[in-house]
Amino acid sequence: MPIAEGHVTWYRACVESVLKEVKVEDMRSIGFIPALAGIAAAYDVWVNEVDTGLETYLYAANWTEGTQPLLKDMRALADFDFAARQKLEDMQYSFYRTAAGGEWSYRNNLEVWPKARFRPQQLTDVTNVNETLKTTILGYEFSAPFFIAPAARAGYGDERGELNFVDAAASEEILYISSLYATKSIEEIAAAKRNHNNTLNGPQVHFQQLYTNVDLSVTWDQIKRAEAGNAKAIVWTVDAPADSTRHRAARYDTTNANSVTSKIDWDIYEQIRNQTKLPVIIKGISSVENALTAVEKGAEAIYISNHGGRQVEYSPSPLEIAYEIYRNAPEVFEKVEVLADSGVRVGTDVLKLLALGVKAVGLGRPFMYANTYGLEGVTKAIQLLKTEVEHDAAQIGISDVHNIPSNILNLRQLESEVYLIDS
């Protein structure tokens, strides 16, 4: 049986356990200590997704590699990544998975979460925590504090593409933000929305993501199309001013969503605001200075993101950005609504960002991978994350996910790394 990728950490832990038991005084052991240490080091490799036991389970059931597991066997968002690799062509998976440079930012997005550790508070009544999952974004109500973030080319996963996101978001009553470079057009997504009403807002609410075109007349046309499609906000991506270095994607000659150098500054922001009456959310905020300027400019909302680690190497994760703002200018969270995405995979990730002041948390890749199962896959991914947020909050002693006590998190490790503004 092949060794599952997620098992390497287990093998390394076993070797380290043996090393701890060996006594140096035992002359017979001296010879193999270096060998064991070398084995341990060899297994210290990057693992793309956590080991949920899926591969062990599948191989025991005589699963055939290259076929998708049954949807019922998806127990965590990480499982959808593995499952997507079984269906997608290498080029398609590479487009979803790729990141900038040596992909440190991508890895850091996934590995940074232990730097904010929980301090669970027992003896707290959490029986009604499920009733607190509802949230509002720009005045619109949703059933959970997370949303489907903008991501391009959902058609790689399923022929219905982004229409599955529209339908799943409607049935589960969460927000969907469509990408400008979606497989389906702005008009097709708008038509799909018209099929839905929900108990929270009536007609389905969705936001439209936007890049800045070199020819601004193209951008103005895209805004008009979004307005005609009844989008309720424009999400303007500001962290893609030029082409980015993506080695994995370059192997298949896949292009970036925004592959030309564009002017992106506060003057363009004001021009966009003058082109529409819709709220304009600034996506790609990665420093406290940018956040403060956005507040000064009167932004209705800001969106913390490093684009899933896809734009530039060594960019900070959303947890680090959120903490930098929390530490230096906590009033930002009171003055504007703050969204965040990049690297979120489990319910506790969502809760950590909420604890710092973020209003709602976006996920891109996990839903793209879930889309390889079609509408049912996207719906299940939403339901899994809802359950995790609810259960994890209860275990931590959080009775209201929108009023999380500050002492829930131990932020000492982040404190040693965050940028501090001189007082």
Side-chain angles (χ1 to χ4, degrees):
M1 183 184 80
I3 296 175
E5 183 182 27
H7 293 169
V8 293
T9 52
W10 179 82
Y11 281 100
R12 186 174 188 274
C14 289
V15 173
E16 290 178 337
S17 177
V18 171
L19 287 173
K20 289 179 181 178
E21 295 298 322
V22 172
K23 296 181 180 179
V24 177
E25 292 85 351
D26 186 345
M27 294 301 294
R28 292 172 298 176
S29 70
I30 294 176
F32 67 79
I33 287 177
L36 284 174
I39 294 172
Y43 280 117
D44 190 13
V45 298
W46 160 250
V47 179
N48 187 59
E49 64 263 8
V50 298
D51 179 10
T52 67
L54 174 62
E55 292 177 72
T56 301
Y57 173 81
L58 291 175
Y59 282 116
N62 296 316
W63 165 76
T64 302
E65 189 169 357
T67 61
Q68 278 203 300
L70 297 175
L71 181 58
K72 71 177 183 64
D73 293 329
M74 299 295 100
R75 304 294 184 180
L77 295 188
D79 293 343
F80 286 106
D81 193 329
F82 171 84
R85 289 199 297 274
Q86 312 311 312
K87 177 180 178 178
L88 297 173
E89 296 176 4
D90 289 346
M91 180 278 290
Q92 296 171 330
Y93 178 75
S94 174
F95 178 80
Y96 288 160
R97 166 61 182 79
T98 194
E103 301 190 341
W104 179 90
S105 294
Y106 170 85
R107 295 192 296 273
N108 184 57
N109 282 351
L110 299 175
E111 293 182 327
V112 72
W113 302 103
K115 293 183 179 180
R117 300 188 180 184
F118 287 114
R119 301 183 62 254
Q121 303 296 309
Q122 281 75 35
L123 302 174
T124 301
D125 182 3
V126 296
T127 53
N128 295 319
V129 67
N130 63 307
E131 299 177 8
T132 73
L133 262 60
K134 290 183 180 179
T135 193
T136 61
I137 304 173
L138 296 182
Y140 299 102
E141 293 187 71
F142 301 98
S143 68
F146 61 84
F147 57 90
I148 302 176
R153 306 184 194 181
Y156 286 167
D158 185 77
E159 63 181 4
R160 293 190 77 243
E162 291 78 13
L163 302 186
N164 290 333
F165 297 152
V166 174
D167 292 348
S171 65
E172 290 298 318
E173 299 188 309
I174 69 167
L175 173 65
Y176 169 46
I177 303 177
S178 57
S179 168
L180 179 65
Y181 294 111
T183 308
K184 301 298 181 180
S185 68
I186 292 174
E187 290 73 22
E188 288 173 311
I189 290 171
K193 283 193 309 175
R194 286 194 285 270
N195 296 325
H196 302 295
N197 285 282
N198 60 43
T199 60
L200 297 178
N201 298 301
Q204 183 178 2
V205 172
H206 111 287
F207 299 167
Q208 176 64 54
Q209 181 265 342
L210 182 76
Y211 287 101
T212 306
N213 195 282
V214 175
D215 180 356
L216 287 177
S217 67
V218 174
T219 302
W220 307 154
D221 179 65
Q222 291 163 345
I223 290 175
K224 290 178 181 177
R225 292 169 61 199
E227 291 174 332
N230 201 33
K232 297 302 184 182
I234 297 296
V235 178
W236 180 42
T237 296
V238 300
D239 62 351
D243 207 345
S244 58
T245 301
R246 299 177 183 174
H247 300 142
R248 185 185 300 268
R251 297 186 185 282
Y252 302 95
D253 294 322
T254 57
T255 58
N256 297 339
N258 199 34
S259 58
V260 295
T261 303
S262 303
K263 179 182 178 183
I264 299 177
D265 60 13
W266 291 109
D267 176 62
I268 297 296
Y269 171 64
E270 294 297 341
Q271 291 187 53
I272 291 174
R273 294 183 75 181
N274 289 334
Q275 288 290 324
T276 182
K277 294 182 180 179
L278 295 177
V280 179
I281 301 171
I282 305 173
K283 181 180 186 294
I285 295 292
S286 57
S287 70
V288 64
E289 293 92 343
N290 277 170
L292 287 169
T293 303
V295 171
E296 179 184 331
K297 298 287 185 179
E300 292 91 347
I302 62 174
Y303 192 147
I304 292 170
S305 175
N306 73 353
H307 217 114
R310 294 167 75 88
Q311 295 306 96
V312 66
E313 195 65 297
Y314 300 107
S315 56
S317 70
L319 182 68
E320 292 163 313
I321 301 166
Y323 184 59
E324 180 177 305
I325 297 171
Y326 174 88
R327 182 67 172 80
N328 291 289
E331 69 275 10
V332 167
F333 296 104
E334 301 296 328
K335 294 181 178 180
V336 296
E337 294 188 10
V338 180
L339 310 181
D341 75 14
S342 299
V344 176
R345 295 293 183 272
V346 293
T348 50
D349 298 345
V350 174
L351 291 170
K352 288 176 181 180
L353 290 170
L354 295 180
L356 291 174
V358 171
K359 191 73 178 291
V361 178
L363 297 89
R365 287 185 179 96
F367 289 123
M368 300 299 272
Y369 298 145
N371 192 45
T372 60
Y373 286 95
L375 174 58
E376 290 184 349
V378 180
T379 302
K380 180 163 186 177
I382 296 170
Q383 293 171 345
L384 284 172
L385 190 56
K386 281 184 177 178
T387 300
E388 287 189 13
V389 172
E390 176 187 340
H391 290 178
D392 292 342
Q395 289 293 338
I396 297 163
I398 296 171
S399 58
D400 182 348
V401 300
H402 300 293
N403 291 285
I404 302 177
S406 59
N407 64 350
I408 283 292
L409 292 180
N410 178 350
L411 301 166
R412 186 176 297 273
Q413 282 186 271
L414 285 177
E415 179 72 16
S416 66
E417 299 178 10
V418 71
Y419 177 82
L420 299 177
I421 295 177
D422 293 333
S423 57

